[in-house]
Amino acid sequence: MIDHRQALDILAASDARRAARRQFLKVAGGGTLALGGATLLAGCFDSEGDDAPRPTPTPTPTPAAVTDVDILNLALNLEYLEAQYYAYAVSGAGLPANLTASGSGTAGGTVTGGAPVNFRNDPLVGAYAREIAADELAHVVFLRQALGGSAIAMPNINISGDASGAFTAAARAAGVVQANETFNPYSSPENFLLGAYLFEDVGVTAYKGAAPLLSSKLFLEAAAGILAAEAYHAGLVRTVLYAKGVATPALITAAGRISDARDQLDQGGDTDEGLTSASGGANLVPANADAIAYSRNSQQVHNIVYLNTTGANRTGGGFFPNGTNNGNPTLRVGLP
């Protein structure tokens, strides 16, 4: 097994050739969320009539404006999640502590789960996994450097494949496994791909949804390039799963169920797409009728990563047991 330091050296070396073209990262967001409705108190009258004093209406809370720093920090939350998943899968070790602490030195949270995947019988998928792992590590490093002292610490993350893990909860909700079964994404290259499929499509749609919120033209220009890079990741995962699904149809069925579950979780309508088209052919590019990728806002993304099946407001759960870290509360919640 590659040890922790060797794994990071490998990832860093693989990333060096990309550093010049990796400027930014997919992010979740799609508009400032209103976090509460107006609470207007009805006028109270005593027996003397309309001359009685009336209570002052409670003002409607004004949502905090979303800044580029907020968006970058939300992106960092999501990149912590992906980087830890891929790092454990390819090396059996997660990110070092210096890449999970906040910019001011606050220690990062814990990672529950994570394990190396045996890619010996499928070296091609292993090669893909190592490349994506290097990209996700680069995203974490870049965002932390861009944010400096404003970088948030990594929140607590659950990427476990045991009976109480987030992957099992997601797979049960999707109907990929039965209610008494577990889903371990580290048990095989195929399960690893399904775990990656759960994340990658969400990342692309989240990043597209956040692009209009960026005020910095530098970040917006970088966003266009990185959106393409992230779409390569998602397209690669979808393509390999579809190819494997020709011989093992259960993989295509499982991907379709994950897609349906994402639709139910984000509560944004029937927009997510599986690996096959309505006619039964390949569907490697999920997009609208104009072949344009659709968007998710921060609310929808949080509903997915929190596995929000309750229909109630959520501030944590699923892959982020205690929620994401962000100074702006409008980018930390999942709402019905």
Side-chain angles (χ1 to χ4, degrees):
M1 177 184 299
I2 300 173
D3 67 28
H4 192 170
R5 187 175 298 277
Q6 289 175 321
L8 290 172
D9 289 343
I10 290 171
L11 294 181
S14 177
D15 174 61
R17 63 186 174 83
R18 303 182 182 87
R21 63 186 172 89
R22 297 286 200 249
Q23 297 284 330
F24 185 53
L25 164 67
K26 60 185 178 294
V27 293
T32 301
L33 305 179
L35 294 181
T39 305
L40 299 179
L41 301 179
C44 297
F45 305 99
D46 63 18
S47 58
E48 295 183 5
D50 290 346
D51 290 335
R54 300 169 185 258
T56 302
T58 301
T60 302
T62 301
V66 176
T67 68
D68 282 3
V69 169
D70 295 327
I71 295 173
L72 289 175
N73 266 322
L74 181 54
L76 184 54
N77 277 281
L78 300 175
E79 279 310 301
Y80 281 140
L81 174 62
E82 289 192 324
Q84 294 286 19
Y85 175 62
Y86 287 112
Y88 272 102
V90 302
S91 71
L95 301 179
N98 69 302
L99 289 183
T100 62
S102 72
S104 60
T106 303
T110 61
V111 177
T112 301
V117 177
N118 183 357
F119 291 115
R120 285 192 292 271
N121 294 328
D122 202 332
L124 191 61
V125 172
Y128 295 154
R130 286 187 288 276
E131 179 175 3
I132 297 176
D135 289 347
E136 304 301 353
L137 176 63
H139 293 158
V140 170
V141 171
F142 169 76
L143 283 174
R144 290 174 59 83
Q145 292 174 343
L147 287 161
S150 297
I152 50 92
M154 183 190 77
N156 291 335
I157 288 174
N158 186 318
I159 51 172
S160 174
D162 64 17
S164 59
F167 278 108
T168 292
R172 287 175 179 174
V176 173
V177 298
Q178 298 301 311
N180 61 341
E181 295 178 325
T182 62
F183 178 79
N184 182 359
Y186 311 103
S187 63
S188 69
E190 290 75 21
N191 276 11
F192 162 78
L193 288 168
L194 287 173
Y197 172 75
L198 193 158
F199 291 141
E200 291 295 345
D201 279 357
V202 175
V204 172
T205 56
Y207 187 64
K208 180 175 178 289
L213 299 181
L214 292 168
S215 59
S216 166
K217 289 187 177 181
L218 175 64
F219 288 134
L220 187 58
E221 187 276 335
I226 297 304
L227 175 57
E230 294 299 339
Y232 278 127
H233 293 171
L236 173 64
V237 170
R238 294 176 71 92
T239 299
V240 178
L241 274 174
Y242 182 82
K244 286 178 172 289
V246 172
T248 310
L251 288 173
I252 294 177
T253 299
R257 289 176 177 173
I258 291 172
S259 172
D260 290 341
R262 289 189 303 226
D263 261 337
Q264 294 174 358
L265 288 168
D266 73 19
Q267 302 178 41
D270 187 12
T271 53
D272 208 303
E273 299 177 8
L275 302 180
T276 55
S277 65
S279 62
N283 184 44
L284 305 181
V285 181
N288 64 17
D290 297 316
I292 297 174
Y294 56 92
S295 301
R296 282 189 173 97
N297 60 34
S298 61
Q299 169 187 327
Q300 294 170 319
V301 171
H302 278 88
N303 278 337
I304 294 174
V305 297
Y306 290 168
L307 302 180
N308 187 2
T309 60
T310 65
N313 294 7
R314 293 286 294 273
T315 57
F319 295 97
F320 293 100
N322 304 111
T324 55
N325 283 342
N326 202 303
N328 189 329
T330 65
L331 294 178
R332 196 167 58 236
V333 298
L335 302 173

